[in-house]
Amino acid sequence: MKVVISTLALAAALALSGAAGSAQPAANRPTAAEADAFVVAAEKELADFSLDAGRVAWINNTYITDDTDAIAAVYAERGTDIQVRLAKQAAHFLTVPGLSFDTRRKLDLLRGGIVLPAPTTAGATKELAEIATRLNSAYGKGRGTLNGQPISGNDIEAAMGTNRNPGELKEMWASWHDNVGRPMRADYARMVEIANQGAVELGYGDVGAMWRSQYDMAPDAFAALADKLWGEVKPLYDQLHCYTRARLNEKYGDAVQAKTGPIRADLLGNMWAQEWGNIYDVVAPAGSGAIGYDIGALLKAQDYDALKMVRTGEGFYSSLGFAQLPESFWTNSMFLKPADREVVCHASAWDVDNKDDLRIKMCIKIASDDFVTIHHELGHNYYQRAYNKQPYLYLNGANDGFHEAIGDFVALSITPDYLVRIGLLNAAQVPGPDKDIGLLLRQAMDKVAFLPFGLLIDKWRWGVFSGAIAPADYNKAWTALRLQYQGITPPVARDDAVAFDPGAKYHVPGNTPYARYFLARILQFQFYEAACRQAGWTGPLHRCSFYNNKQVGERLNAMMEMGMSKPWPDALEAFTGSREMSGKAMLAYFQPLAGWLKEQNKGRRCGW
Ligand code: X8Z
Ligand code: ZN
């Protein structure tokens, strides 16, 4: 498995190269040819290391014990050692005049692409690796309670989607946040401290600036781009929030959900209130507007199991012309939660040998959101395979948002007509045009609702890494951002002196940067609009399915096989014709819903 890498760190790189360049006599300066040779050797070293490291990480994530934690920490430590050594050398080589495009790009990737860099202080790499492994496994082993009984993360996630009892929802929310998040607080603060020292040694202001440096632009420019995108789609979110709050008030009454102010975070069908599609039944248009089917129910009615769900996902990609997944995918993947051991259930996709050892790791339930997540994970796998001929440092998405967007963009094609084509829905059950609002609302509950959440996770982490949010304020700042961006509030008072609610979300203890998911939510609609245009679709955008369209598959493959070899605007242009990330496609998709929501919200006091 390859280690995470990044794109250019332009501003910081220039600052560093200026300083190092002037201090060094020209005679001692390495040559461009030496820089080329360094990159070749670095790629080989990383590729070799990644094979065993990938297997070790896989085993740890699918079989958590103290032993596998210990081995995983050893490999994480070795990996960081290698990465940091190469990053420092890369910074040095970046001072060389006359570097080729590829060598410069790869040096930048080497320098900036470490998620958790360690400083050279004795013992720091080991401590960092142990903390990161401990946090990841603690999340995997986490339990909440329901009616006083312990309940696993995977089960509690599902229960939050179907349970409509406000008392039980509150218990699940509070127990999960208290049991899982709270004990992580001290470890997290220490981890931030160590990794920040590592970032500074590499010439970055802090870890957050390093993460933001991965987008072919300066870190500040990336933060501004994210804010610009959010500004485009925020009015739509505000309308959805207003409408959803009113429907929740109708269902639960003033004592549970007031007509004004924020929404209670546990009522939205998801532990983190990040996607709200699970409560579509609560908000569906009154009367005959509801769409009349739920994919989870359709899957159950036809006795789908996890394997059949994955086969169905594979079938979509095959219909675009992609080769079937290798036999090893089916033997190596984990589709179900094992009964006899602890695992990290949070879904992920792997490419262990950087070629064809593709795998997904999920604890699949027969439910609509897991059907979408399967397409999401497979999107990662097909992307990985498409770029597997690239040199090691380019084995990645054009940016990490692209990687997250592929599977989601494919899943936007799961339209009623597509469900008929694969035999999940009867032709007679296809909702007519009078159900368009219902269909769009169902999608918006997942796609639009996610946007502020997708942005705020890293707003919080950027603040934590920069020091703007001090450890004593970790929880207070988290709750404040949840209120500011999402307009939600915890169902129980939080004790900010001890709570660590961010730890209750996988990507925080898992140290997965999150801005990628925000970008992907926007990008997937750009991809989808482009694919539907390529397919010659003329109907309403949300009814388009590019299932079976080989031309779309070819164009998609052309973008994906570029991997990270070019700046992301080149990749975006290859598939969509545009070089800009923009919320316009998403707004076009939801345009009929936007008008309807405004109509529904007339007379309501929106906002919080
Ligand atoms: O973490 C994921 C994927 C794995 S890359 C399942 N997602 C984010 C999340 O669950 O928080 C997909 C949507 C957002
Ligand atoms: Zn993903």
Side-chain angles (χ1 to χ4, degrees), residues 14 30 65-66 100 116 124 131 137 179-180 189 245 250 307 357 370 379 382 442 471 492 503-504 566:
L14 287 175
T65 66
D66 289 349
S100 70
L116 286 181
I131 293 177
S137 291
N179 297 355
V180 178
R245 182 178 61 192
E250 279 168 29
L307 184 63
D357 188 351
D370 274 9
Y382 284 97
R442 175 69 184 78
V492 287
K566 295 283 182 296

Side-chain angles (χ1 to χ4, degrees), residues 235-276:
L236 181 56
Y237 177 78
D238 289 347
Q239 291 295 321
L240 184 68
H241 179 281
C242 192
Y243 173 77
T244 303
R245 182 178 61 192
R247 298 299 306 266
L248 286 169
N249 172 262
E250 279 168 29
K251 176 168 175 70
Y252 290 111
D254 291 344
V256 173
Q257 177 58 60
K259 283 194 184 67
T260 57
I263 298 177
R264 217 179 94 167
D266 56 335
L267 303 180
L268 289 160
N270 177 281
M271 178 61 82
W272 308 277
Q274 67 180 67
E275 281 156 332
W276 306 347

